[in-house]
């Protein structure tokens, strides 16, 4: 089962594009300036089959199995 | 195996606990965690980083010197200091500059911003006190646990710069940010955070140099850059370090839709070791990045230089170009990584080097990875001596062999982009002068 450390996520979206099962999504972070900050969320964690692809692709090291 | 750590590490940790006392809880916790990670990595005997020459970080003290007095003007620097900062492109008269920010050892001693609405420059220490939302930005793009050095720099940094360009503000003149190292065995570890709101534009000249009286030290830094929609940031790192200096500037950038990030790195000195691998995430649609390093490997320098781009934005474009001229007994490794996740991506990687000595060594490590059939990634790498054919052509036009070689090297290294004309002309002069010294 995949585990996410949200405080390390940079919202790059690599996990969303890598996961063949659609486990991940992105949600916007509210900040008082006009930069679009997003963070990864586990939208469908039950679909995860622990293949580990996302772990290797996450540049922020925010994902682990 | 667990290594015994020097008692001085505990003293250092206690010093920073006290120093951090006035900061918000999130910042204190982040830095404390970084120090814990550093301690764990140090106990396990891990090297400074995955790449680059290994050395003992604790030989250097990040909090060594006393506070310096603030300057009224950059012209108030001593003659030797002025010569040093001029060697990296800093204009002490501040002509054709948006503003200046000078850090001597660990203290910011001068800061001046020419009248310009919408550009904020301050120290990171004051910025985290002013803006609680910075917790969403600080120490994210360069992960604290990336390696032992990033943990060290995140946990023990002092000074640096917070630069915030507001929406639609487009500055043509460069902002000069200078880090001057003056004290032996200091670890100068500034933290730099740049926020560029949509459709803004800023050119940063980040110059790092040592005083000629300082025989050895460590210059490291962590720089995180957020480029908003349609914004343009050019970040120029100009270094001049001599033997006895280790250099570790770490840069991470995130670029939104239609944004552009350009980085130029030049080392004109001959540091004992330098390791640099800026990593850019092209997240937005049609975002763009160019990472350019052009440098001389001289003396017994050990240089591990390159950069990486991760493409997660559809239609994003990026280029990593590393060019070096290597002589004496220098060891140079040039790395490049391109990783394509999104459709319509185009990336190019180039590692080229001219080798002038049989005792020198150059290795190139291009690395392309694509998870997207629609992406196009290419690379070229070349290591060799100056081609005789080119030399003979120029010599047939009346040049001496040395003049011809110097002209070829100048042309080979003339790859900087995004610089305003005065800075570009200065840089060309610098390359020309250093090329002349090699031959």
């Amino acid at each position: 089962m995949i585990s996410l450390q949200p405080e390390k996520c940079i919202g790059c979206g690599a996990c969303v594009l890598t996961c063949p099962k659609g486990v991940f999504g992105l949600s916007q972070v509210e900040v008082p300036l006009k930069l679009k900050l997003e963070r990864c969320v586990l939208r469908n964690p039950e679909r995860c089959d622990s293949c580990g692809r996302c772990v290797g692709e996450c540049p922020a090291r925010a994902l682990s199995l | 195996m667990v290594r015994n750590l020097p008692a001085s590490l505990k003293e250092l940790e206690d010093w920073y606990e006290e120093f951090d006392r006035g900061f918000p809880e999130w910042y204190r916790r982040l830095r404390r965690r970084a120090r814990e990670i550093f301690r764990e990595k140090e106990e396990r005997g891990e090297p400074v980083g995955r790449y680059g020459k290994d050395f003992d970080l604790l030989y250097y003290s990040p909090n060594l010197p006393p506070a310096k007095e603030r300057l009224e003007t950059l012209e108030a620097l001593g003659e030797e200091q002025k010569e040093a900062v001029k060697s990296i492109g800093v204009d002490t008269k501040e002509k054709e500059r948006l503003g200046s920010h000078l850090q001597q050892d660990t203290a910011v001693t001068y800061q001046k911003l020419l009248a310009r609405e919408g550009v904020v420059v301050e120290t990171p220490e004051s910025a985290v006190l002013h803006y609680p939302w910075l917790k969403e930005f600080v120490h994210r793009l360069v992960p604290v646990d990336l390696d032992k050095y990033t943990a060290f720099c995140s946990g023990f940094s002092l000074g640096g710069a917070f630069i915030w360009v507001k929406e639609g503000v487009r500055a043509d003149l460069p902002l000069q940010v200078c880090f001057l190292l003056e004290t032996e065995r200091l670890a100068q570890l500034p933290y730099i955070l740049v926020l560029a709101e949509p459709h803004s534009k800023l050119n940063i000249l980040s110059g790092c140099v040592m005083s000629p009286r300082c025989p050895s030290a460590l210059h490291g830094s962590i720089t995180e850059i957020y480029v908003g929609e349609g914004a343009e940031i050019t970040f120029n790192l100009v270094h001049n370090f001599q033997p006895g200096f280790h250099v570790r500037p770490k840069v991470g950038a995130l670029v939104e839709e239609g944004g552009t990030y350009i980085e130029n790195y030049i080392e004109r000195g001959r540091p004992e070791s330098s390791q640099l691998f800026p990593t850019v995430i092209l997240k937005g649609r049609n975002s763009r990045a160019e990472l350019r390093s052009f440098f001389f490997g001289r003396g017994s320098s050990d240089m591990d230089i390159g950069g990486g781009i991760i493409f997660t934005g559809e239609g994003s474009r990026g280029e990593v170009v590393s060019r070096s001229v290597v002589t004496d007994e220098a060891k140079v490794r040039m790395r490049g990584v391109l990783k394509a996740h999104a459709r319509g991506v185009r990336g190019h990687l180039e590692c080229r080097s001219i080798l002038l000595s049989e005792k020198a060594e150059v290795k190139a490590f291009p690395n392309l990875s694509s998870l997207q059939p629609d992406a196009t990634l290419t690379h070229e790498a070349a290591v060799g001596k100056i081609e005789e054919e080119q030399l003979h052509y120029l010599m047939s036009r009346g040049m001496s062999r040395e003049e011809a070689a110097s002209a070829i090297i100048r042309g080979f290294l003339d790859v900087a982009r995004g610089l305003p004309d005065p800075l570009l002309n200065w840089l060309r002069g610098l390359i020309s002068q250093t090329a002349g010294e090699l031959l």
Side-chain angles (χ1 to χ4, degrees):
Chain A
M1 183 63 155
I2 197 71
S3 157
L4 166 70
Q5 286 180 268
E7 74 281 4
K8 295 177 82 175
C9 175
I10 56 175
C12 69
C15 53
V16 179
L17 293 164
T18 304
C19 178
K21 306 280 183 182
V23 169
F24 304 100
L26 290 173
S27 79
Q28 195 143 349
V29 179
E30 290 302 318
V31 282
L33 67 170
K34 291 179 178 164
L35 288 174
K36 190 178 166 194
L37 271 194
E38 290 182 310
R39 299 284 179 252
C40 166
V41 288
L42 297 176
R43 199 147 275 165
N44 301 297
E46 72 287 353
R47 293 188 192 167
C48 177
D49 61 4
S50 302
C51 74
R53 275 196 211 174
C54 57
V55 176
E57 296 301 329
C58 175
R61 302 173 170 211
L63 295 168
S64 55
L65 279 174
Chain B
M1 194 180 92
V2 175
R3 285 202 321 160
N4 287 326
L5 299 180
S8 58
L9 178 57
K10 179 74 177 72
E11 285 168 25
L12 200 58
E13 288 165 341
D14 290 345
W15 190 94
Y16 276 87
E17 276 296 321
E18 190 58 32
F19 178 83
D20 284 358
R21 196 179 280 269
F23 293 122
E25 182 55 29
W26 67 268
Y27 188 65
R28 292 168 62 186
R29 220 175 25 232
L30 185 63
R31 277 163 61 92
R32 189 180 300 133
R33 180 69 194 127
R35 293 193 286 272
E36 286 167 2
I37 293 169
F38 172 72
R39 174 175 274 276
E40 289 162 13
K41 288 181 180 294
E42 190 69 5
E43 277 175 344
R44 286 200 295 268
E46 288 188 18
V48 169
R50 191 170 165 198
Y51 302 120
K53 189 176 184 175
D54 194 25
F55 60 94
D56 182 10
L57 283 166
L58 289 174
Y59 177 78
Y60 303 95
S61 302
N63 61 341
L64 201 63
K68 306 263 181 185
E69 282 182 23
R70 285 190 78 88
L71 301 172
E72 291 297 316
T73 155
L74 285 179
E75 284 289 290
L77 283 168
E79 281 310 309
E80 274 187 352
Q81 295 166 315
K82 266 201 265 188
E83 283 308 307
V85 301
K86 281 178 185 173
S87 78
I88 44 163
V90 170
D91 183 355
T92 52
K93 292 191 167 64
E94 300 181 79
K95 285 180 186 164
E96 298 184 316
R97 296 288 187 267
L98 177 70
S100 306
H101 180 93
L102 170 69
Q103 176 165 330
Q104 290 175 264
D105 287 341
T106 57
V108 174
T109 53
Y110 180 75
Q111 201 173 62
K112 183 180 175 188
L113 199 56
L114 304 180
R116 182 84 209 192
E117 289 290 321
V119 182
V120 173
V121 182
E122 56 185 284
T123 63
E125 284 90 356
S126 68
V128 295
L129 290 172
H130 291 151
Y131 313 111
W133 41 266
L134 279 185
K135 70 176 180 190
E136 299 294 345
F137 296 90
V138 172
H139 293 316
R140 290 256 181 182
L141 299 180
V142 180
V144 164
D145 59 357
L146 180 69
D147 54 35
K148 194 168 77 178
Y149 165 77
T150 54
F152 184 69
C153 197
S154 307
F156 297 108
S157 70
L158 287 178
F162 169 63
I163 300 165
W164 177 12
V165 202
K166 302 205 176 161
E167 187 178 14
V169 174
R170 299 180 70 80
D172 291 317
L173 294 176
L175 173 70
Q176 54 186 10
V177 181
C178 177
F179 298 96
L180 176 62
L181 249 166
E182 299 183 292
T183 303
E184 189 175 0
R185 290 182 70 168
L186 172 72
Q188 187 186 43
L189 307 173
Y191 172 69
I192 300 161
L193 176 63
V194 180
L195 304 180
E197 289 201 73
H199 309 291
S200 61
K201 179 183 171 188
L202 187 63
N203 197 308
I204 301 166
L205 169 67
S206 177
C208 309
V209 66
M210 35 54 57
S211 148
R213 289 173 193 272
C214 180
S216 76
L218 161 66
H219 172 78
S221 59
I222 288 180
T223 302
E224 298 182 298
I225 299 175
Y226 294 80
V227 183
E229 185 181 332
E232 294 173 45
I233 290 288
T234 305
F235 188 60
N236 305 294
L237 283 140
V238 184
H239 287 184
N240 186 5
F241 288 107
Q242 297 305 323
F245 284 77
H246 294 288
V247 185
R248 294 289 182 281
K250 299 266 181 179
V251 178
L254 182 80
V255 188
E256 291 182 29
E257 183 170 344
T260 301
Y261 176 69
I262 299 175
E263 180 177 314
N264 295 298
Y265 164 73
I266 181 165
E267 168 62 74
R268 65 170 299 189
R270 49 184 86 191
E272 187 168 331
S273 82
S274 180
Q275 194 265 325
L276 182 111
F277 191 88
T279 303
V280 182
I281 313 240
L282 289 179
K283 186 188 171 186
R285 281 169 68 95
N286 301 324
S287 51
R288 198 164 67 85
E290 292 177 28
L291 302 177
R292 296 173 182 275
S293 345
F294 36 106
F295 57 97
F296 301 92
R298 295 193 283 172
S300 54
S301 283
D302 183 304
M303 302 180 79
D304 196 307
I305 310 290
I309 301 178
I310 298 170
F311 303 81
T312 58
E314 207 174 306
S316 50
R317 305 266 190 279
E319 192 174 34
V320 179
V321 176
S322 302
R323 291 199 183 178
S324 61
V325 177
V326 185
T327 187
D328 302 331
E329 296 175 3
K331 283 192 172 59
V332 166
R333 283 165 300 279
M334 297 195 290
R335 298 179 196 278
V337 173
L338 300 177
K339 234 175 203 192
H341 291 274
R343 291 169 59 85
V345 160
R346 280 186 182 275
H348 181 65
L349 183 61
E350 182 187 311
C351 307
R352 294 176 67 185
S353 185
I354 293 179
L355 196 56
L356 296 177
S357 152
E358 287 177 2
K359 291 181 181 169
E361 178 187 290
V362 178
K363 290 182 181 173
F365 300 93
N367 182 335
L368 310 182
S369 135
S370 182
L371 304 174
Q372 177 52 254
D374 191 37
T376 306
L377 302 180
T378 54
H379 86 80
E380 57 182 305
V383 178
K385 59 182 184 178
I386 297 176
E387 285 179 30
E388 284 296 321
E389 205 173 288
Q390 291 180 351
L391 278 173
H392 285 144
Y393 176 77
L394 292 174
M395 286 159 70
S396 73
R397 302 279 162 135
M399 283 188 181
S400 69
R401 194 175 176 84
E402 283 71 28
E403 285 168 341
S406 177
I408 291 167
I409 291 171
R410 281 201 308 273
F412 177 74
L413 291 176
D414 193 1
V415 291
R417 296 284 185 277
L419 292 167
D421 282 344
L423 219 51
L424 191 61
N425 291 337
W426 170 81
L427 199 59
R428 284 183 174 146
L430 173 71
I431 289 170
S432 181
Q433 182 199 336
T434 316
E437 286 168 19
L438 291 181
L439 299 161

